[in-house]
Amino acid sequence: DAMVIQNPRYQVTQFGKPVTLSCSQTLNHNVMYWYQQKSSQAPKLLFHYYDKDFNNEADTPDNFQSRRPNTSFCFLDIRSPGLGDAAMYLCATSRVTGANVLTFGAGSRLTVL
Amino acid sequence: QKEVEQDPGPLSVPEGAIVSLNCTYSNSAFQYFMWYRQYSRKGPELLMYTYSSGNKEDGRFTAQVDKSSKYISLFIRDSQPSDSATYLCAMIIQGAQKLVFGQGTRLTINP
């Protein structure tokens, strides 16, 4: 089945220790998104790629970076995690930008000690 | 004021009840309205979407949009324990880059 796979599902890190979360997709979608979702809050878009074009949200902290080495993979790097970065990180894909239909991965839950 | 407001709940109802989930929004330019369902420890999955005002039915689920009131609803008939999840409304302006999500309503259907 075509899908969006996120790894790891659960990540525990120490304050300030860099973390990388990965996302892969077999849908051959052009657009890949990273969302941050905190408990009982709306998913917050951090950035998205249309193919190799990177689009950063204005309020995404510099602490968050992303890489998309090819169509199938996208990475979220958190350079110096703080306690406030503990959240579920969701990867999603769509065929085009501005799509109303996103396909989400199961998420990576980050805990910062 | 948030662009999209959704009552976070939690909402707990007995099996078989009719459930009504709602969102209000402030931007009249929104044109596509979606409902995503998110099970515990999973990513959201699209349940239904509608374009502009009106109703759309899919099995036990009905999505309703009232653009004049800036109000959308999701009705679940004959609710089942398997419907227990967080329901997120989302909307987008045609041509815009991104969806705007509500914060989600946590729903529990009790057997």
Side-chain angles (χ1 to χ4, degrees):
Chain A
D1 283 343
M3 54 180 53
V4 180
I5 304 292
Q6 290 189 242
N7 283 298
R9 293 291 315 279
Y10 301 93
Q11 176 74 59
V12 180
T13 190
Q14 291 179 331
F15 184 96
K17 188 172 181 182
V19 161
T20 294
L21 307 176
S22 75
C23 178
S24 65
Q25 55 125 344
T26 59
L27 297 159
N28 205 31
H29 281 172
N30 293 312
V31 191
M32 295 187 78
Y33 308 79
W34 280 105
Y35 284 85
Q36 179 192 63
Q37 186 180 28
K38 296 185 177 180
S39 181
S40 301
Q41 293 186 23
K44 178 182 181 298
L45 182 64
L46 297 173
F47 22 61
H48 74 275
Y49 277 93
Y50 178 81
D51 199 11
K52 287 194 175 295
D53 291 334
F54 178 70
N55 296 270
N56 197 31
E57 292 299 300
D59 58 353
T60 298
D62 292 341
N63 197 26
F64 292 87
Q65 303 286 318
S66 185
R67 297 169 282 135
R68 189 179 185 185
N70 54 53
T71 302
S72 301
F73 284 88
C74 196
F75 299 95
L76 171 61
D77 300 308
I78 309 175
R79 293 193 295 191
S80 182
L83 298 177
D85 297 326
M88 173 80 90
Y89 290 88
L90 295 165
C91 174
T93 72
S94 66
R95 196 173 302 279
V96 296
T97 54
N100 58 323
V101 179
L102 303 186
T103 303
F104 284 87
S108 293
R109 181 165 294 282
L110 177 67
T111 300
V112 182
L113 301 177
Chain B
Q1 181 189 9
K2 292 180 185 175
E3 275 193 288
V4 179
E5 298 272 4
Q6 185 175 7
D7 185 341
L11 182 61
S12 183
V13 301
E15 183 176 355
I18 296 174
V19 176
S20 172
L21 305 169
N22 311 295
C23 288
T24 59
Y25 61 95
S26 57
N27 190 342
S28 58
F30 285 128
Q31 293 173 288
Y32 287 91
F33 303 89
M34 282 66 66
W35 287 95
Y36 282 80
R37 178 174 60 195
Q38 185 174 20
Y39 289 115
S40 181
R41 291 185 286 278
K42 295 288 180 70
E45 57 177 346
L46 181 70
L47 194 57
M48 299 179 68
Y49 77 88
T50 54
Y51 175 72
S52 195
S53 281
N55 292 356
K56 186 173 184 178
E57 190 172 316
D58 184 1
R60 297 183 294 108
F61 298 87
T62 300
Q64 194 172 76
V65 174
D66 182 348
K67 289 197 75 179
S68 62
S69 301
K70 299 193 186 73
Y71 189 87
I72 70 170
S73 299
L74 177 70
F75 298 97
I76 307 173
R77 292 185 300 281
D78 187 24
S79 55
Q80 304 294 310
S82 58
D83 296 328
S84 298
T86 295
Y87 289 80
L88 295 148
C89 65
M91 43 201 80
I92 191 168
I93 301 166
Q94 191 165 10
Q97 290 279 317
K98 64 179 184 180
L99 296 182
V100 180
F101 282 93
Q103 65 186 108
T105 300
R106 183 180 294 180
L107 172 67
T108 301
I109 309 297
N110 301 303

